[in-house]
Amino acid sequence: MAETKVADQLDSLVSLERGEIDRRIFSDPEIFDLEMKHIFGRAWLFLCHESQIPRRGDFFEAPMGTDNVLVVRQKDGGIKAFLNTCSHRGNAVCRAEEGNVRNFMCTYHGWTFGLDGELVGVPGSSLFYKDKLDRSKHPLRKVAQLESYRGFVFATFDETAPPLPEYLGATGRLGLDLLAERGDMEVIPGIQKFTVKTNWKFTVDNVFDYYHPQITHMSAFALGLIPAPPDNYMEGGAKSETGANLEVPFLPTDLHNVVMVGEYGHAISGPDQDALEVSTGVEPFAWRHNDETQARLGRHGSRVAGHPHIFPTTWVTAGGQLSLRVPREPGVTEIWWFSFRDKNASPEENAALLSSHIHFFGPAGLLEQEDGENWAQSTLQTKGLHSREVPQLLKMGLGTSEVVKDDGLAIIDAPINEHAQLWTYHSWREWLRNPTWEELRERTVPHDRF
Amino acid sequence: MTTETAEQARLTAVLLQHEVEQFYYHESALLDAHRYEDWVFLFTEDTHYFMPLRRTVTRRQLHLEFTKPGEMAFFDEDKNYLEIRARKFATGTSWAEDPPSRTRHLITNVRIGEKSGDELQVHSNFLLYRTRLKNDLDQWVGRREDTLRRTEAGLAIAKRHIFLDQTVLQSANLSSFF
């Protein structure tokens, strides 16, 4: 689809009213290019956590759309980020994913850059350039803005982007608070990174999907890895390939969800904490049961046990991890897992936490090993000439929910639904129109009814 | 006499090498035949099955290439978790392996190192070739550092540390054993 054509068709690609999405958005290369330009070229994107680069010269390479940036701890303790591409011939100035350096030197001609990205060394400066090269004009290209929120480092390529806290809004900030409030948080060394043949939007959509665990992760329920009360199986609905009724676990009909949708496309969706604890009979969130934390999270925030998502690709899990869904190609996405722990936790607490981080998500995770294949298969079918004409359905709970606006949040209380997914696609469409920040904000003010 | 002893030692080494290699071939055959619960039986009760994360780092910082126990990993399993993983396949709803993957475990370069008491240090290389569904293909190459222990039931794996050669994993999951 040509750019003008995509712009003309945006309204038909995503319909909030019908709860339908055009499947072509998952495989069209020109739509992907537009996403890189209008979304990843402008949004505040998560780069890393400050605890990953504690010492001067520590760096971490992070993706921003199709670019790679080096996030670097400065001599003065500050943080800068710049494109990992030499100002001379474009070679990467650093080929490690993380580490510690005094300088970044391009291995092509030896141009050397300081921790602040300034060009500090050019071999043969007088001999070859006759001292006429103005080094100050050729630093590594910096991101337009960089800010930390509670230790989470974000950057944007757009100098007109609103400040990070404003971009995050109440919903996005709450999402990060739900991780930061657990203690004095640091990233456990080692970022899991793996490749799935899927479009990035499937991986985001899935964050809010509490309809899939009962089937996709059925084996994890069977093993007791996800607690499900013994009498809470629903018969019918799903039939096995032999025609037998499948006993589907979990999802008691009264499992209450709380959804929050926010400006620019951020959303939180998942079980209400009390509902989850009552229905599963376990109490998984001890860290939040004190008055101080409850007060800081606020009366709405303290009810949330579901999945916060910072638009476009940052997910905070209920278990204390953060996942980045990195688009590489229309049909290729890298999943990155950042796993956190409280610096003050006991060795026993840390061991238990590490075990849950390793055993739930990641490519060998007893939950997530099932997910990638679903996303890959969904992506594959969007390529078929006729398959891609079948609309993608997001109709669950459509038109049945009131939105309550309070405390800067837009809150929906409802059974399991697809409101947050639909909100994400709606916001995605508004981003693709490439509006001004003011227009974008206005167009992503949550509706009164979902 | 001296010659005979040296020859005896060589023969013992060859027999041990043969025994260890046969053990690995048997183990691979169990995995490739989807006999996961029999496979778990080859591990000692106190086993540690560990696959660290690998990072692309400079040569100067090569000591930081792999994460260590206590840090993030792909696998960090005791016997109990290996049993859980094996049982997962048997639930009939472990969709990442249903339809099942076709795997081929190729074990090479088996080198027997230090022996102490009833334990042997053994290093080997592996190629795990996997196809899935109609045209999914994954290949993992790396090395394993095992501690094998002699038990009444024969050799058993008391420790397995698996070092993959990929940093950003080029596959959607690790639902196979190494």
Side-chain angles (χ1 to χ4, degrees):
Chain A
M1 282 190 242
E3 179 156 354
T4 47
K5 215 169 157 202
V6 171
D8 292 344
Q9 293 185 351
L10 282 173
D11 285 317
S12 68
L13 291 177
V14 176
S15 168
L16 265 180
E17 297 69 34
R18 295 194 312 280
E20 291 184 2
I21 311 288
D22 191 316
R23 284 190 187 178
R24 287 174 297 173
I25 71 171
F26 299 105
S27 48
D28 186 297
E30 288 177 30
I31 288 185
F32 184 82
D33 289 345
L34 280 187
E35 290 171 338
M36 290 305 115
K37 199 164 144 191
H38 298 327
I39 299 176
F40 293 86
R42 300 188 65 194
W44 281 96
L45 301 169
F46 174 77
L47 302 182
C48 70
H49 188 259
E50 287 198 33
S51 63
Q52 291 176 262
I53 46 170
R55 296 166 306 140
R56 164 211 282 209
D58 283 349
F59 70 89
F60 181 77
E61 190 186 42
M64 286 181 73
T66 46
D67 295 298
N68 293 312
V69 300
L70 295 163
V71 199
V72 187
R73 181 68 72 174
Q74 302 296 299
K75 289 174 185 166
D76 66 2
I79 295 169
K80 284 188 163 59
F82 29 77
L83 292 178
N84 187 5
T85 181
C86 180
S87 50
H88 178 222
R89 283 289 204 283
N91 191 9
V93 296
C94 176
R95 282 156 317 161
E97 293 168 285
E98 51 186 275
N100 182 278
V101 292
R102 288 177 178 232
N103 293 298
F104 296 100
M105 190 197 77
C106 177
T107 55
Y108 198 171
H109 303 91
W111 283 32
T112 303
F113 301 87
L115 297 179
D116 56 0
E118 291 301 315
L119 178 58
V120 295
V122 175
S125 194
S126 41
L127 183 64
F128 303 130
Y129 284 98
K130 310 298 178 201
D131 291 321
K132 283 186 176 155
L133 184 78
D134 183 354
R135 285 191 207 163
S136 70
K137 288 205 164 62
H138 304 287
L140 297 176
R141 182 73 57 89
K142 290 185 184 58
V143 299
Q145 300 184 59
L146 182 141
E147 274 190 73
S148 258
Y149 177 78
R150 302 196 70 177
F152 302 93
V153 183
F154 285 74
T156 169
F157 285 124
D158 186 350
E159 57 193 19
T160 70
L164 177 63
E166 196 182 314
Y167 173 78
L168 293 170
T171 309
R173 290 195 303 271
L174 174 60
L176 295 171
D177 290 342
L178 283 163
L179 185 45
E181 279 298 325
R182 290 161 197 246
D184 188 3
M185 304 308 282
E186 65 176 358
V187 169
I188 303 170
I191 311 299
Q192 291 178 326
K193 300 175 183 176
F194 63 105
T195 312
V196 184
K197 286 183 209 152
T198 187
N199 183 268
W200 65 276
K201 293 187 290 300
F202 277 116
T203 70
V204 173
D205 179 324
N206 189 247
V207 163
F208 306 117
D209 190 317
Y210 279 79
Y211 186 40
H212 81 285
Q214 51 174 344
I215 299 295
T216 299
H217 304 305
M218 202 179 232
S219 58
F221 284 103
L223 295 167
L225 291 165
I226 308 176
D231 55 350
N232 239 324
Y233 283 76
M234 300 186 298
E235 205 176 281
K239 286 188 195 297
S240 77
E241 66 206 13
T242 62
N245 274 332
L246 273 188
E247 287 205 343
V248 177
F250 195 52
L251 300 188
T253 47
D254 59 347
L255 182 59
H256 200 76
N257 268 30
V258 51
V259 182
M260 295 170 181
V261 286
E263 287 82 4
Y264 307 121
H266 314 307
I268 299 177
S269 180
D272 171 281
Q273 187 194 215
D274 292 339
L276 188 69
E277 290 181 7
V278 168
S279 70
T280 60
V282 295
E283 196 278 279
F285 304 115
W287 60 271
R288 59 200 290 167
H289 285 290
N290 65 69
D291 295 342
E292 234 174 277
T293 307
Q294 297 271 316
R296 279 198 296 260
L297 293 174
R299 66 181 179 285
H300 301 297
S302 57
R303 290 172 50 215
V304 175
H307 291 165
H309 188 259
I310 315 292
F311 192 90
T313 48
T314 303
W315 169 30
V316 176
T317 74
Q321 288 181 283
L322 182 151
S323 181
L324 201 54
R325 276 97 208 286
V326 184
R328 293 297 189 198
E329 295 170 25
V332 180
T333 302
E334 270 173 33
I335 311 290
W336 288 23
W337 280 103
F338 299 74
S339 308
F340 289 80
R341 67 184 168 204
D342 178 0
K343 282 179 193 166
N344 305 316
S346 68
E348 294 74 25
E349 286 169 320
N350 276 336
L353 184 74
L354 184 68
S355 178
S356 76
H357 285 341
I358 288 172
H359 286 111
F360 273 71
F361 297 116
L366 292 158
L367 283 187
E368 200 171 33
Q369 58 179 259
E370 256 63 57
D371 288 310
E373 195 160 285
N374 287 341
W375 307 334
Q377 287 295 314
S378 293
T379 302
L380 190 64
Q381 307 314 325
T382 66
K383 292 175 183 163
L385 183 63
H386 298 287
S387 301
R388 72 183 180 215
E389 298 294 335
V390 181
Q392 196 84 356
L393 300 186
L394 291 159
K395 291 177 185 286
M396 192 182 290
L398 193 65
T400 62
S401 302
E402 298 291 341
V403 178
V404 174
K405 294 189 178 173
D406 189 30
D407 242 3
L409 297 160
I411 307 149
I412 302 163
D413 275 294
I416 287 171
N417 59 73
E418 289 169 344
H419 299 322
Q421 289 97 313
L422 207 47
W423 182 247
T424 305
Y425 290 113
H426 164 77
S427 305
W428 170 88
R429 179 184 66 185
E430 298 309 317
W431 277 84
L432 277 206
R433 294 188 207 276
N434 197 28
T436 65
W437 281 99
E438 205 179 321
E439 287 167 341
L440 180 60
R441 189 184 161 80
E442 277 166 21
R443 290 174 188 178
T444 53
V445 169
H447 306 50
D448 293 330
R449 199 172 170 78
F450 267 74
Chain B
M1 214 47 188
T2 329
T3 328
E4 210 174 49
T5 311
E7 214 145 89
Q8 193 64 45
R10 276 168 58 203
L11 188 59
T12 306
V14 168
L15 288 173
L16 182 63
Q17 179 80 18
H18 177 76
E19 185 189 7
V20 168
E21 287 180 2
Q22 290 302 313
F23 174 75
Y24 283 148
Y25 300 158
H26 170 65
E27 185 205 350
S28 298
L30 290 179
L31 287 174
D32 294 340
H34 311 296
R35 288 173 57 191
Y36 306 110
E37 297 188 47
D38 293 335
W39 174 75
V40 174
F41 198 68
L42 299 179
F43 289 80
T44 64
E45 291 305 310
D46 61 345
T47 198
H48 185 213
Y49 181 92
F50 182 68
M51 182 193 282
L53 304 186
R54 189 172 200 148
R55 293 166 285 209
T56 303
V57 293
T58 59
R59 197 172 287 274
R60 184 172 54 81
Q61 295 199 300
L62 210 55
H63 59 287
L64 299 176
E65 187 177 25
F66 290 103
T67 55
K68 298 173 178 62
E71 301 179 339
M72 276 307 285
F74 285 131
F75 291 98
D76 192 349
E77 315 298 298
D78 55 16
K79 178 84 176 261
N80 178 47
Y81 263 109
L82 286 182
E83 279 166 359
I84 287 173
R85 287 182 184 277
R87 280 210 308 277
K88 184 172 188 294
F89 293 127
T91 57
T93 55
S94 194
W95 312 120
E97 287 298 329
D98 200 343
S101 297
R102 280 83 49 174
T103 63
R104 203 58 57 201
H105 286 73
L106 306 180
I107 308 300
T108 72
N109 303 48
V110 177
R111 285 153 296 143
I112 297 171
E114 198 180 313
K115 305 178 196 75
S116 63
D118 52 3
E119 290 192 345
L120 288 175
Q121 307 301 319
V122 186
H123 291 197
S124 58
N125 293 348
F126 64 84
L127 166 65
L128 173 46
Y129 176 91
R130 173 176 85 167
T131 67
R132 251 197 88 51
L133 307 181
K134 290 195 280 288
N135 47 21
D136 285 358
L137 169 64
D138 295 300
Q139 298 186 74
W140 299 281
V141 173
R143 68 188 162 86
R144 306 190 302 201
E145 292 181 8
D146 288 356
T147 299
L148 301 185
R149 190 183 298 157
R150 248 177 227 296
T151 68
E152 280 177 17
L155 286 175
I157 304 160
K159 187 201 89 177
R160 170 163 293 168
H161 288 197
I162 305 144
F163 301 91
L164 271 190
D165 285 347
Q166 298 174 10
T167 54
V168 178
L169 205 68
Q170 299 299 306
S171 51
N173 64 40
L174 290 172
S175 58
S176 300
F177 291 119
F178 291 81

